[in-house]
Amino acid sequence: MTKLTITTSVVLSDEEKEALEKKLAQKYGKFNTEYHVDDELIGGIIIFDGDKVYDGTVRSKLDRMREQLYK
Amino acid sequence: MYQMLLSGLPLGLSGTKILLHLFNFALLMGGLTLLVYKPVLKFITKRQEDIKKQLEDNQNTEKKAKSLLAEYQEKLDKVEIELDQKKAKAEKSISAHKEAVISEAERRAEEIYRKAEIESENERIEAINSLHNEVADVALRIASNILEREISREENAKIIDACIEEWSEND
């Protein structure tokens, strides 16, 4: 069974977790979850499925913007 | 006359004595000629020949000396000409060397100036880039601070939903 490590900037409520897991089930089917909180992310989510990392945080977007500005 | 000669002449002279004296004189002259005149003449002739030979030798020596003098004068003239030529060549070489040194110095000075220009330009670009990056950092920090304050839970949820939809489409 796949294990998903989910990191957000704020603590998700149970409803929010349920809604999120419902959407993720379409891709992963059955899975276990491990939730973490990191306020440095500002907003958005990071999902690690054991193989790939999906980074949709505001922090990463700001970092990409910095790289573009540094060019 | 004959009798006068035989009997004696005035002053106690006699013919016999006169003849004897004449004979003596002839003998003396003959003896002198043999003993003195001929050797002296021979000596004088030899001396003349020696002097003549010496004069000839002197003339030859003088000729040789003049010839040597002319030869050495010619050599001296040649050496002077050679010296002048070498001097001219050396001056030409020095002048060419001087020009080469000046030219090289000018080239190096230009190179140094060009390098300094390039360095200066690079520093200017680096300073601009540094300033650019600082401005970017400041802008991003400000944006980050604003976003931290302004993103609500609902907006955060929307961001998460948008990410998941995007990943699902890409997969």
Side-chain angles (χ1 to χ4, degrees):
Chain A
M1 194 185 288
T2 309
K3 182 183 175 187
L4 301 180
T5 307
I6 299 170
T7 310
T8 53
S9 59
V10 294
V11 177
L12 297 177
S13 63
D14 292 336
E15 291 82 14
E16 284 169 339
K17 283 181 185 175
E18 199 181 322
L20 176 62
E21 285 171 15
K22 198 173 168 186
K23 285 183 182 137
L24 292 173
Q26 291 173 10
K27 180 179 171 172
Y28 293 104
K30 287 196 175 167
F31 55 86
N32 291 328
T33 54
E34 186 180 314
Y35 287 90
H36 296 278
V37 175
D38 182 5
D39 56 3
E40 295 272 328
L41 304 180
I42 303 173
I45 188 168
I46 296 177
I47 298 174
F48 175 54
D49 62 5
D51 183 32
K52 281 168 102 175
V53 174
Y54 296 88
D55 187 343
T57 58
V58 172
R59 170 58 58 194
S60 69
K61 285 187 171 65
L62 286 173
D63 288 343
R64 279 198 292 277
M65 207 184 298
R66 180 181 287 109
E67 280 169 25
Q68 288 298 317
L69 288 173
Y70 277 7
K71 279 184 188 174
Chain B
M1 179 79 173
Y2 182 71
Q3 273 180 353
M4 202 166 75
L5 281 173
L6 283 175
S7 63
L9 291 167
L11 300 176
L13 295 171
S14 70
T16 311
K17 281 186 184 175
I18 288 171
L19 281 173
L20 275 173
H21 282 307
L22 281 173
F23 179 72
N24 272 345
F25 183 72
L27 211 63
L28 179 66
M29 292 309 294
L32 280 176
T33 301
L34 280 173
L35 294 175
V36 175
Y37 177 73
K38 281 194 176 170
V40 167
L41 184 64
K42 192 175 168 188
F43 174 77
I44 288 172
T45 305
K46 186 171 180 305
R47 187 85 183 111
Q48 272 182 336
E49 280 171 9
D50 286 345
I51 289 170
K52 192 176 168 189
K53 189 165 178 291
Q54 209 167 11
L55 278 174
E56 276 175 11
D57 287 345
N58 286 348
Q59 278 175 355
N60 286 341
T61 305
E62 193 181 341
K63 262 190 204 172
K64 276 187 192 172
K66 280 186 181 172
S67 167
L68 272 175
L69 181 65
E71 190 184 322
Y72 285 128
Q73 187 61 44
E74 196 182 322
K75 280 186 183 176
L76 196 62
D77 290 341
K78 273 188 190 172
V79 165
E80 275 187 16
I81 290 170
E82 220 175 283
L83 271 174
D84 286 340
Q85 284 174 350
K86 282 189 179 176
K87 191 177 159 188
K89 197 174 167 186
E91 279 175 2
K92 201 172 164 188
S93 172
I94 286 169
S95 177
H97 181 66
K98 197 167 82 171
E99 278 181 25
V101 165
I102 290 171
S103 179
E104 175 67 13
E106 281 175 354
R107 187 191 66 80
R108 283 193 185 176
E110 202 177 309
E111 202 177 307
I112 289 168
Y113 177 73
R114 201 171 38 83
K115 274 186 186 172
E117 263 192 338
I118 290 170
E119 273 178 29
S120 170
E121 179 62 17
N122 288 343
E123 279 175 16
R124 190 184 72 85
I125 291 170
E126 207 175 307
I128 289 173
N129 286 344
S130 177
L131 187 62
H132 175 80
N133 293 345
E134 272 182 46
V135 166
D137 273 343
V138 166
L140 288 170
R141 266 203 301 275
I142 291 171
S144 176
N145 290 340
I146 291 170
L147 287 169
E148 276 176 22
R149 280 201 307 267
E150 300 294 329
I151 293 180
S152 61
R153 287 194 77 90
E154 290 77 23
E155 280 167 346
N156 193 33
K158 283 181 188 173
I159 291 170
I160 292 170
D161 287 342
C163 287
I164 291 173
E165 269 183 43
E166 187 187 327
W167 295 333
S168 302
E169 280 169 17
N170 290 342
D171 285 342

